[in-house]
Amino acid sequence: MKIDGIDKIIIKRLVNDARTPILTIAREVGISGAAIHQRLRKLEKSNLIEGYKLVINPKALGYTTTAFVGIFLDASNLYSSAIKRLKEIPEIVESHYTTGNYAIFIKIMCKNNEDLMHLLNKDIQNIKGVSRTETFISLDQQIDRQITN
Amino acid sequence: MKIDGIDKIIIKRLVNDARTPILTIAREVGISGAAIHQRLRKLEKSNLIEGYKLVINPKALGYTTTAFVGIFLDASNLYSSAIKRLKEIPEIVESHYTTGNYAIFIKIMCKNNEDLMHLLNKDIQNIKGVSRTETFISLDQQIDRQITN
DNA sequence: ACTGAAAGCTTCAAAAC
DNA sequence: GTTTTGAAGCTTTCAGT
């Protein structure tokens, strides 16, 4: 799969705003809308494009607290059962199996610090195999982007 | 801003695939396409919808390593100058100012472990004020989603 | 790999409920 | 205030180049 300059323009525009009209891009690069469309289909089939997503503003839903939590597990064979339980907690938006101190590392979004504390002490600490957690609350996010080339 | 059942269906469908035809949703809920469209405009203006993004598959671009890096700063007033430098590193996809051990906490994506090591030792360690870093490499990601209600 | 045309979808304003 | 209508523009598909 090789990507030329036109593909890069298409991707750049749509990463920024997935609703940019294809005809706008077509006129910008000087080929027909159908040609742009065919390139997009090809990029989708090549697996480079994972999908198109509406991005929600969590703050508008009252989710103002973002935190990262390192989870210690008693034994690494408890990983899959713990993940199963973590998936049931909708506030957890990412989970990773990581090298280093922690077994599981999660990103979590809550409405406030009280909710975060409750999730940590009740929902997460009570999962079988979870011995301890370490929490980093995000006070400010300055970078949020994608890899695009 | 109140969100009813129809709005929830619209959001659910578009979070999953932002290219779902509005008319498909319209037929599903039994109102016209234009009505769905007007609800969307309202949701956009209400700030609930942050945008529509094409999501790229980093693996297709050769980025197979994801890591989290905690960065220690000599002094907290070096934060903004450090962020300025971190923004220049395209592999850094998130940065947070966090409570806890670290001053800055980043998510980074690299093509391989060698590139990660290079970025840590050359680009990040050489930023003024950065004294030390701690790295957690993600070996497996099981959860990746958004808050939607 | 690109074009052009037909069918379906989105968008916007105005009117209807 | 939300919904439908209708017209213009955009997307999608496909035969043809």
Side-chain angles (χ1 to χ4, degrees), chain A residues 26-85:
Chain A
R27 287 188 279 255
E28 194 180 327
V29 301
I31 59 176
S32 70
I36 300 283
H37 185 258
Q38 281 172 41
R39 280 165 174 269
L40 260 178
R41 285 281 161 279
K42 213 171 140 189
L43 291 167
E44 283 163 11
K45 269 167 193 149
S46 83
N47 204 34
L48 186 94
I49 292 176
E50 213 163 275
Y52 304 84
K53 281 182 184 163
L54 184 161
V55 182
I56 292 197
N57 176 8
K59 280 175 193 156
L61 291 169
Y63 289 78
T64 54
T65 299
T66 299
F68 294 90
V69 181
I71 299 173
F72 292 87
L73 278 187
D74 291 332
S76 59
N77 62 7
L78 294 164
Y79 176 63
S80 58
S81 67
I83 285 293
K84 215 170 174 177
R85 298 281 306 277

Side-chain angles (χ1 to χ4, degrees), chain A residues 87-105:
Chain A
K87 280 183 178 165
E88 293 163 6
I89 302 171
E91 285 89 346
I92 298 176
V93 294
E94 282 189 44
S95 87
H96 299 264
Y97 186 81
T98 51
T99 64
N101 284 330
Y102 316 118
I104 302 175
F105 194 74

Side-chain angles (χ1 to χ4, degrees), chain B residues 21-23 27 37 41:
Chain B
I22 285 178
L23 277 180
R27 287 187 280 256
H37 183 257
R41 284 282 162 279

Side-chain angles (χ1 to χ4, degrees), chain B residues 70-82:
Chain B
I71 300 174
F72 293 86
L73 278 188
D74 292 330
S76 58
N77 63 6
L78 293 163
Y79 176 62
S80 58
S81 67

